[in-house]
């Protein structure tokens, strides 16, 4: 069973998060390469407790993912996402 068999983000959950995500194509500035896989990578880190260097390549280069995670943290994106998703008992 590989990493791609263990993805957890549903289309409905991603839809609820989408307006809160930065780097969307409808915004000025740079666009995130694959927001879904990036968020899945964050969920993988949280679920496993693994160090960043162990992030599977399916989610992207670990250092690039870490830098993007840090940018989102500074801009409060994760706080907004967690607040929006906290009402979902399955998330």
């Amino acid at each position: 069973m590989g990493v791609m068999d263990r993805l957890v983000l549903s289309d409905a959950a991603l839809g609820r998060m989408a307006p809160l995500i930065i780097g969307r194509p409808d915004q000025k500035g740079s666009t995130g390469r694959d927001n879904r896989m990036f968020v899945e990578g964050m969920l993988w880190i949280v679920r496993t407790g693994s160090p960043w260097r162990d992030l599977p390549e399916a989610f992207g280069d670990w250092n690039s993912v870490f830098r993007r995670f840090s940018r989102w943290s500074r801009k409060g994106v994760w706080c907004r996402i967690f607040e929006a998703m906290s009402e979902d008992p399955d998330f």
Side-chain angles (χ1 to χ4, degrees):
M1 182 176 273
V3 171
M4 299 305 282
D5 297 320
R6 296 180 182 251
L7 301 180
V8 297
L9 192 58
S10 69
D11 290 340
L14 183 63
R16 289 177 56 198
M17 292 177 193
L20 307 171
I21 291 174
I22 59 175
R24 297 185 318 263
D26 63 320
Q27 295 174 321
K28 290 183 180 181
S30 63
T31 300
R33 183 170 290 151
D34 187 341
N35 288 327
R36 180 183 213 120
M37 286 306 288
F38 169 66
V39 174
E40 287 281 5
M42 296 303 92
L43 294 174
W44 187 90
I45 288 287
V46 170
R47 283 191 324 270
T48 64
S50 296
W52 284 102
R53 289 179 187 263
D54 290 346
L55 184 71
E57 288 185 28
F59 300 115
D61 173 69
W62 75 267
N63 195 28
S64 298
V65 174
F66 171 74
R67 288 193 325 265
R68 189 173 178 191
F69 169 80
S70 296
R71 279 193 308 273
W72 282 30
S73 295
R74 282 192 309 272
K75 294 181 181 216
V77 175
W78 293 118
C79 289
R80 291 191 298 272
I81 288 174
F82 291 141
E83 186 175 308
M85 300 305 291
S86 66
E87 298 172 7
D88 183 349
D90 294 326
F91 191 74

